[in-house]
Amino acid sequence: MERETFFCEILLPLPLPGTFTYKIPCEWNHKLQFGVRVVVPFGRSKLYSGLVIRVHQTPPRQLVVKYIVDIIDEYPVISEQQFQLWEWMSQYYLCHLGEVMAAALPSALKLAGETKVMLNPAFDGDITSLTEKEVKVAEILSYRTAMLIAEVAKAIDIQKIIPIIKSLVEKEIVLADEEIKDPYKPKTESWLTLNRLYADDEQALYTLIDQLNNNKRTEKQADTLLQFLMIAKKACSDNKEAASYKVKKSDLMKAGKISDSRIKRLVDKQILVPEQQIISRLAAYTSEHNASEITLSSPQQKAMDQIEKQLEAKNCVLLHGVTGSGKTEIYIKLINKALEDGKQVLYLLPEIALTTQIVNRLRYYFGDKAGVYHSRFNEYERVEIWNRVLNPDLFDRHANKYQLILGARSALLLPYHNLGLIIVDEEHDSSYKQTDPAPRYHARDCAVMLAQIHQAKIVMGTATPSLETYYNVERGKYGLATLTQRYAACQMPEIWVVNIVESLKQKAMDEYLSQFLIDHIAAALARKEQVILFQNRRGYSLRLFCHSCHEMPTCIHCDVTLTYHKSSNLLKCHYCGYAIAMPRECPVCHSHDIEMKGFGTEKVEQKLSELFPQAVIARMDLDSTRSKTAYQNLIQDFETHKTDILAGTQMVTKGLDFDRVSVVGILNADNLLSYPDFRAFERAYQVMAQVSGRAGRKEVPGKVIIQTYRPEHEVLQYVVAHDFLAMYRHQIREREQLHYPPFRCLIRL
Ligand code: ADP
Ligand code: ZN
Ligand code: ZN
């Protein structure tokens, strides 16, 4: 018997350089391959799951080489191409490979001795499918709220604990790490079934109906029951199933306009039996629609031809199309072609634009081929998508294949193996850059690399390209396709600039709103149209100002002025979150002569409700959208015209498509122009052009009103003229003179 010694290089999700060498116990000599996870001891007594990167026979230099403790996977959990991207990222963004791995892998795939685990509160206690060891683990966890995996191992004296935990996590009996903070609750639906007594005995059922019917007090209940039977029968014949008396409660309520309390009477009498049914988190969407149903307009068709022609020679094309020009329809056509070729497609969006709006639009054509991946998803959803992207064939039984992934920047890190096309929508958006923690990557740039690794094509789209991207177009590195008109002869909005200095002189300012803007809002509301107001500061008032010593309270950590938040009555630091209670007197000189200066979104909201008491006003900023659903709800209410005016920060500018917005106001353009950043002008242009783009997207022509102290500012002139190219030429010259990107690279140390 041969007794060769094999070693392997293991990548651990730790901020340490390189990989670590371990010895392979000889019984596993030919069992390990790239990408499978193994358990290894690390440091004094810690256990980690690491990825096998390479198996070799070169003895390492150090004297003591530890053995691999266990093998977790039979098949690789990452793809070769994915790993190539990780390597590039770690080199380009100067971080450790382990940090990229830590960012990429959902925590359920990173189990380690230090991982916290707990019993899933939703676990029903059914242990019939568990192995003996799994039962032991489940048992020990049932006594405690949460434990480290290492503690579990100690408590029950099992060495090879991680594979057991892995299996329990897969069975959704145990929760690992991140979900503990956000415990997973299964999604359920209420169903009603007919009591077996009646379901199995038609005679009894008819007698019951007669009884109910013959009594004035229970007549309604007979109606309800008949409705129930009708829906149940219909569902069964539709699905060609044998009769079963089972109906979704909401269907019954909707179909028969039946109230909850009426159903409850039948439940109380035990005629209907309620039942909670767990539904898949990854709901299935079937779609009978096809991308071939879309007829591109002739400018769209031209742009599409331009893209395809240029992609023959180039890997990347920029689709520069004004807001509302129908870029999405072009993406859909391109995606469709790639999918027909059997390729995977990645559609990247800024996190905030990842709303039901775009998801629904794509699902309309691609149904359950489209999967969504973003950081707000729970661990199980992420692992499920991960696995389906990695190995669609393992999921043959399921309908969802996820050939198309829609995601925010982290979707770049999924285990693709066969990408044909990457779309980077809203290419200019600064949220593509991850600032903290490492890897501090730019998703757009990584996408270019990822496409190269897969020999895939990449299409970037926006109404306001970043200077970097447009520079690449000018250099001939990227191709260019343009759409200069809105879809269906919709007009570009008219842009008006209001001079705040002049308005103040003429007493035509009501606090922060010019009379001109107020009049236009009033007119829009009178026509039952909607309004968006943009103010890039959140909070109620910018700062507290003391009239006697002229001091303003600042953050003790960051030295920036604190912002007043009315709803919490706190002064908060917008950099680090430091907060103090609202002082009654100046903290420095104790004068009571203090005043609020400046204004934020909260203040705007309040002023608006004074001016337009009959209008429904909503505020959208970081503070009002902290909860998972708040953002979606705000958007939905605005979409369905439950709200008339939406006042908010940057968030209101992002790629949303509303039909009835006729007035967009930018309350203070100078804030944007005075940002301490070399990209300030570029960003100011982008933000103003994007927020303007929300105006007048369908029948309703739009007006944009920009208030400023400096109407002569060149960036404003470019915005008014819808002249991206002029802005670009002006800015790119400056960047070159001052040695800024894209001519030089900047690095912060
Ligand atoms: P953009 O993404 O360029 O801002 P959208 O893709 O949102 O623009 O298109 C603007 C509107 O025009 C959308 O409501 C879209 O449904 C509609 N639209 C665009 N192209 C077509 C088309 N070929 N057929 C039907 N509707 C279209
Ligand atoms: Zn003072
Ligand atoms: Zn601070």
Side-chain angles (χ1 to χ4, degrees):
M1 192 177 119
E2 68 177 330
R3 271 273 171 182
E4 284 171 295
T5 309
F6 282 93
F7 297 93
C8 68
E9 294 303 311
I10 303 293
L11 178 61
L12 295 173
L14 300 173
L16 296 169
T19 53
F20 298 87
T21 311
Y22 286 86
K23 233 189 272 184
I24 303 177
C26 61
E27 69 264 31
W28 293 336
N29 265 359
H30 297 286
K31 276 188 78 174
L32 290 180
Q33 54 168 322
F34 166 87
V36 302
R37 283 172 307 157
V38 292
V39 180
V40 292
F42 189 79
R44 260 218 249 128
S45 61
K46 289 186 175 152
L47 286 181
Y48 282 99
S49 4
L51 286 167
V52 174
I53 301 306
R54 197 162 60 84
V55 177
H56 59 89
Q57 287 190 287
T58 326
R61 259 190 264 142
Q62 75 254 39
L63 288 175
V64 191
V65 183
K66 292 180 184 162
Y67 275 104
I68 286 174
V69 176
D70 214 342
I71 303 176
I72 301 180
D73 305 302
E74 213 170 321
Y75 302 103
V77 297
I78 62 171
S79 74
E80 305 256 0
Q81 293 97 326
Q82 179 186 26
F83 185 68
Q84 281 181 41
L85 180 71
W86 292 5
E87 280 188 306
W88 177 81
M89 284 172 74
S90 104
Q91 278 161 22
Y92 190 79
Y93 295 106
L94 303 177
C95 66
H96 300 303
L97 205 46
E99 290 175 305
V100 185
M101 170 185 173
L105 245 55
S107 60
L109 295 180
K110 285 184 301 208
L111 300 174
E114 301 296 293
T115 307
K116 266 203 189 130
V117 287
M118 70 183 264
L119 210 58
N120 189 344
F123 173 51
D124 59 6
D126 179 7
I127 54 168
T128 43
S129 67
L130 303 188
T131 66
E132 204 179 308
K133 283 180 182 168
E134 288 172 355
V135 172
K136 266 196 182 163
V137 172
E139 211 176 358
I140 189 101
L141 284 174
S142 66
Y143 302 129
R144 301 267 298 269
T145 42
M147 287 172 91
L148 299 183
I149 290 182
E151 292 171 350
V152 179
K154 240 199 200 148
I156 50 176
D157 200 25
I158 295 181
Q159 283 288 297
K160 302 182 169 184
I161 186 83
I162 290 182
I164 303 172
I165 301 274
K166 171 208 168 200
S167 153
L168 286 169
V169 167
E170 278 169 3
K171 291 174 182 163
E172 305 196 359
I173 293 169
V174 164
L175 303 175
D177 228 2
E178 267 158 46
E179 311 126 86
I180 294 180
K181 284 171 245 147
D182 181 15
Y184 160 71
K185 286 178 217 72
K187 265 182 155 172
T188 57
E189 266 171 4
S190 305
W191 285 70
L192 297 162
T193 49
L194 185 63
N195 189 326
R196 289 288 290 274
L197 280 179
Y198 307 110
D200 295 345
D201 183 350
E202 275 199 355
Q203 201 50 51
L205 181 59
Y206 294 140
T207 318
L208 173 72
I209 295 172
D210 277 344
Q211 270 172 11
L212 293 174
N213 229 347
N214 288 335
N215 186 334
K216 261 242 162 320
R217 278 191 10 248
T218 57
E219 245 175 25
K220 286 248 169 75
Q221 294 172 24
D223 277 357
T224 308
L225 187 54
L226 284 170
Q227 283 276 2
F228 171 90
L229 295 172
M230 228 163 68
I231 298 174
K233 281 243 171 68
K234 183 164 184 306
C236 291
S237 65
D238 281 357
N239 298 332
K240 302 192 176 61
E241 284 169 10
S244 77
Y245 295 101
K246 197 165 164 184
V247 167
K248 211 196 290 179
K249 187 169 160 190
S250 58
D251 285 350
L252 179 59
M253 292 172 71
K254 243 183 283 158
K257 294 210 172 58
I258 294 168
S259 69
D260 207 31
S261 58
R262 264 172 68 193
I263 294 175
K264 192 165 172 295
R265 292 216 181 91
L266 291 175
V267 170
D268 289 345
K269 286 190 177 163
Q270 297 189 359
I271 297 169
L272 294 183
V273 183
E275 192 181 293
Q276 288 300 109
Q277 218 173 58
I278 296 181
I279 50 176
S280 164
R281 279 173 305 279
L282 304 174
Y285 298 86
T286 42
S287 169
E288 278 105 58
H289 296 276
N290 193 291
S292 60
E293 289 166 31
I294 301 174
T295 319
L296 296 181
S297 67
S298 91
Q300 278 174 323
Q301 189 58 51
K302 259 203 207 133
M304 175 90 184
D305 295 343
Q306 266 178 320
I307 293 173
E308 293 194 309
K309 180 140 184 300
Q310 296 189 65
L311 282 181
E312 284 168 16
K314 290 177 175 154
N315 291 326
C316 181
V317 170
L318 169 69
L319 173 56
H320 180 198
V322 296
T323 51
S325 57
K327 294 184 284 295
T328 319
E329 270 69 17
I330 296 181
Y331 301 148
I332 291 171
K333 290 277 191 193
L334 291 165
I335 292 169
N336 194 47
K337 287 199 176 170
L339 294 181
E340 279 177 351
D341 287 345
K343 299 283 193 179
Q344 293 176 310
V345 177
L346 168 61
Y347 188 141
L348 282 176
L349 282 154
E351 176 91 29
I352 200 70
L354 204 57
T355 58
T356 36
Q357 228 179 27
I358 183 77
V359 173
N360 288 344
R361 239 165 117 185
L362 290 171
R363 283 227 161 104
Y364 183 82
Y365 295 107
F366 302 112
D368 54 20
K369 283 196 200 111
V372 182
Y373 189 80
H374 64 79
S375 58
R376 284 186 169 182
F377 275 14
N378 74 40
E379 212 49 23
Y380 292 120
E381 290 168 319
R382 282 201 261 174
V383 174
E384 197 167 333
I385 292 177
W386 181 286
N387 287 333
R388 286 181 188 200
V389 170
L390 179 70
N391 197 347
D393 297 332
L394 276 185
F395 288 87
D396 235 345
R397 291 166 297 124
H398 297 273
N400 305 4
K401 287 245 175 174
Y402 294 151
Q403 281 159 281
L404 164 63
I405 292 290
L406 264 92
R409 57 173 189 251
S410 58
L412 271 173
L413 302 171
L414 284 168
Y416 305 101
H417 49 88
N418 181 24
L419 271 177
L421 173 69
I422 303 177
I423 304 232
V424 185
D425 199 2
E426 309 294 349
E427 160 281 319
H428 64 280
D429 199 289
S430 56
S431 68
Y432 278 128
K433 176 80 171 78
Q434 161 140 332
T435 41
D436 263 316
R440 296 174 179 82
Y441 63 103
H442 198 300
R444 179 189 62 221
D445 302 344
C446 291
V448 173
M449 199 56 214
L450 183 63
Q452 197 175 318
I453 291 170
H454 286 266
Q455 315 259 304
K457 297 296 178 187
I458 175 163
V459 174
M460 301 179 179
T462 174
T464 52
S466 64
L467 291 200
E468 284 83 354
T469 298
Y470 210 81
Y471 181 66
N472 278 328
V473 169
E474 287 219 312
R475 286 198 303 159
K477 198 172 159 204
Y478 296 171
L480 176 70
T482 49
L483 282 168
T484 51
Q485 293 162 17
R486 286 185 156 187
Y487 179 74
C490 203
Q491 295 298 303
M492 287 302 281
E494 271 172 50
I495 301 185
W496 299 81
V497 176
V498 173
N499 185 340
I500 299 178
V501 183
E502 282 299 310
S503 301
L504 281 170
K505 269 192 215 147
Q506 295 162 9
K507 304 243 177 308
M509 286 296 284
D510 188 345
E511 286 184 37
Y512 310 103
L513 302 173
S514 62
Q515 198 52 50
F516 186 78
L517 179 55
I518 294 172
D519 291 345
H520 277 90
I521 297 174
L525 292 176
R527 291 190 304 263
K528 302 251 175 300
E529 292 160 2
Q530 289 173 295
V531 175
I532 290 179
L533 293 180
F534 171 72
Q535 167 58 23
N536 67 328
R537 297 280 178 155
R538 60 196 164 103
Y540 180 76
S541 162
L542 205 61
R543 58 206 183 175
L544 191 71
F545 183 79
C546 171
H547 284 283
S548 50
C549 75
H550 305 285
E551 285 289 333
M552 289 172 294
T554 55
C555 174
I556 52 170
H557 308 297
C558 317
D559 202 34
V560 299
T561 320
L562 297 174
T563 298
Y564 179 58
H565 285 244
K566 187 173 172 240
S567 52
S568 53
N569 201 32
L570 290 174
L571 292 173
K572 286 192 197 165
C573 168
H574 281 187
Y575 283 136
C576 73
Y578 169 80
I580 57 168
M582 172 70 184
R584 297 239 191 87
E585 47 175 45
C586 169
V588 180
C589 73
H590 305 290
S591 155
H592 285 258
D593 192 9
I594 53 178
E595 191 200 28
M596 300 293 181
K597 279 230 159 172
F599 68 115
T601 40
E602 267 184 72
K603 186 103 188 197
V604 171
E605 187 189 14
Q606 195 196 38
K607 184 76 212 168
L608 286 169
S609 53
E610 279 166 28
L611 287 168
F612 306 105
Q614 75 290 6
V616 184
I617 299 153
R619 174 170 58 92
M620 180 148 96
D621 56 26
L622 260 184
D623 298 308
S624 71
T625 54
R626 286 212 194 278
S627 84
K628 275 190 182 183
T629 48
Y631 177 76
Q632 294 284 3
N633 292 344
L634 279 172
I635 296 289
Q636 223 163 49
D637 285 353
F638 197 62
E639 228 176 351
T640 52
H641 209 152
K642 281 190 196 135
T643 358
D644 301 305
I645 306 179
L646 186 63
T649 54
Q650 226 84 327
M651 287 185 170
V652 300
T653 66
K654 312 256 166 153
L656 295 163
D657 191 8
F658 302 116
D659 293 352
R660 299 203 55 84
V661 175
S662 67
V663 172
V664 165
I666 296 172
L667 300 189
N668 186 336
D670 310 274
N671 275 344
L672 288 169
L673 294 166
S674 60
Y675 248 63
D677 183 327
F678 74 91
R679 289 198 176 91
F681 286 4
E682 176 188 350
R683 291 270 148 80
Y685 179 87
Q686 285 163 354
V687 166
M688 285 191 265
Q690 290 286 345
V691 77
S692 306
R694 305 308 122 213
R697 290 173 64 97
K698 286 270 163 71
E699 316 73 56
V700 191
K703 273 211 173 67
V704 178
I705 296 162
I706 303 178
Q707 304 188 147
T708 174
Y709 287 89
R710 294 156 70 191
E712 71 292 343
H713 198 290
E714 71 257 14
V715 172
L716 285 175
Q717 301 307 321
Y718 302 143
V719 174
V720 170
H722 302 288
D723 195 349
F724 168 81
L725 270 181
M727 188 282 296
Y728 171 79
R729 298 235 161 78
H730 183 265
Q731 281 298 301
I732 202 82
R733 212 180 315 125
E734 255 187 48
R735 297 273 179 95
E736 184 160 27
Q737 282 162 1
L738 299 173
H739 305 289
Y740 275 125
F743 300 96
R744 299 287 193 284
C745 294
L746 284 186
I747 183 165
R748 180 150 103 200
L749 296 174

